[in-house]
Amino acid sequence: MKRISLTQYLIEEQRLNNSIPAELRLLIEVVARACKTISHAVGKGALGDVLGAADTENVQGEIQKKLDIISNEILLQANEWGGHLAAMASEEMETIHPIPNRYPMGEYMLLFDPLDGSSNIDVNVSIGTIFSVLKAPEGMATPTEKDFLQPGTRQVAAGYAVYGPQTVLVLTTGNGVNCFTLDREMGSWIMTQRALQIPADTAEYSINASNARHWYPPVTRYVKELEAGKTGPREKNFNMRWIASMVADVHRILNRGGIFMYPADAREPDKPGKLRLMYEANPMAFIVEQAGGAATDGKMRILDIQPITLHQRVAVFIGSRNEVQRVTEYHAA
Ligand code: P6P
């Protein structure tokens, strides 16, 4: 495959399909540059005094890691002056972050989980950044949380970076999914996979099995059938993976198929799952659907969900189309 840079890809897309207006191209390049900076900070580990917990909690009530806050700051500072954004929203911030008055306002809104998989930071397991791009509503003067509450089908771009053995950036602007690997010597994102497609079937599933006793019947039935393997109703053996970093699990699925599940369970009946709709499930669902996969909350397509609040949670079944369809059908049974 011809090795082209992210910039060249974006310019070619803009020229060929006019699917990436100049402002959106600028936004994507700025986010990609911020992910390079985060990768550098993450890569320092203990040498950079960036490990461990900060002495603060985020809106989710989770103890923040130093790198959660550092990554959040990197994304805010990289994006607020460019004139391409009207506002930002982050897992790490309770309220939205309007662009400061000293900078021009743009027509896009950026949402992100600056560092997903934080429980893995201190033990050197892959983590990542997830981002989603929406257009600001026509005629919006002062951005409010309500302006962000758009269904996932309204996303104009979504992507994630994985800080692992390689640093990769996966991106969609609605015209397929491409993967770029960071060339650390040149500091460039180089396209290494074009038009990724997720196999419709799989023999691999991801779920935190320690919660099995809390699962609701459709999930219990589905997972037990996978565990029964060749001698069970599925008549084939399945493998299990759980990295506890959604970006890493989804990236594996994008490359070799699989189904990732974070269902609602009986631990907290009012909580529809752990993952957040706006800046985790929606961007991942956009990417996975663009790669031929599927994503539901067990009952409906994630991208069709009308958000009610910025940090709302959602159950997630995402990956190989035929498996997502099966477990979703079990919820309807
Ligand atoms: P558990 C990371 O904290 C995260 O939000 C996802 O990246 C990951 O898939 C999940 O939570 C892990 O949750 O309950 O297994 O620790």
Side-chain angles (χ1 to χ4, degrees), residues 273-299:
K274 174 180 183 184
L275 302 177
R276 292 85 174 179
L277 174 64
M278 297 305 293
Y279 39 78
E280 287 177 329
N282 268 344
M284 288 309 201
F286 186 18
I287 291 164
V288 164
E289 285 199 3
Q290 281 287 313
T296 75
D297 67 352
K299 302 216 173 16

Side-chain angles (χ1 to χ4, degrees), residues 5-7 9-10 27-36 39 75 128-131 158-164 166-172 177-183 188-194 196 247 251 254-255 287:
S5 69
L6 173 65
T7 303
Y9 164 74
L10 292 172
L27 166 50
I28 292 168
E29 300 235 53
V30 168
V31 171
R33 198 171 309 120
C35 290
K36 272 196 280 189
S39 174
L75 281 158
T129 298
I130 310 172
F131 66 91
Y160 63 79
V162 180
Y163 312 117
Q166 308 101 41
T167 286
V168 297
L169 178 75
V170 170
L171 173 71
T172 187
V177 179
N178 297 298
C179 179
F180 302 83
T181 301
L182 179 61
D183 175 337
S188 309
W189 292 103
I190 304 299
M191 183 183 281
T192 44
Q193 290 172 288
R194 188 184 277 271
L196 279 153
V247 281
H251 191 64
L254 213 57
N255 278 278
I287 291 164

Side-chain angles (χ1 to χ4, degrees), residues 259 294 296 320-331:
I259 178 169
T296 75
S320 292
R321 197 175 46 249
N322 294 342
E323 290 304 319
V324 172
Q325 188 181 332
R326 174 186 287 265
V327 68
T328 303
E329 282 166 3
Y330 287 6
H331 282 75

Side-chain angles (χ1 to χ4, degrees), residues 116-117 208 242 244-246 260 262 274-276 280:
D116 174 65
N208 183 335
W242 187 251
S245 220
M246 184 189 196
F260 170 97
Y262 209 110
K274 174 180 183 184
L275 302 177
R276 292 85 174 179
E280 287 177 329

Side-chain angles (χ1 to χ4, degrees), residues 35 38-45 50-52 65-68 71 113-130 160-169 184 189 243-251 284:
C35 290
I38 295 172
S39 174
H40 182 69
V42 164
K44 281 195 174 150
V50 293
L51 299 182
K65 299 280 191 176
K66 286 182 193 167
L67 271 170
D68 281 327
S71 306
D113 176 357
L115 206 59
D116 174 65
S118 304
S119 62
N120 286 324
I121 294 175
D122 298 347
V123 291
N124 196 21
V125 173
S126 299
I127 46 186
T129 298
I130 310 172
Y160 63 79
V162 180
Y163 312 117
Q166 308 101 41
T167 286
V168 297
L169 178 75
R184 293 183 190 285
W189 292 103
I243 305 175
S245 220
M246 184 189 196
V247 281
D249 279 315
V250 170
H251 191 64
M284 288 309 201

Side-chain angles (χ1 to χ4, degrees), residues 79-90:
N79 279 287
E80 61 182 8
W81 50 269
H84 48 280
L85 285 181
M88 291 181 256
S90 165

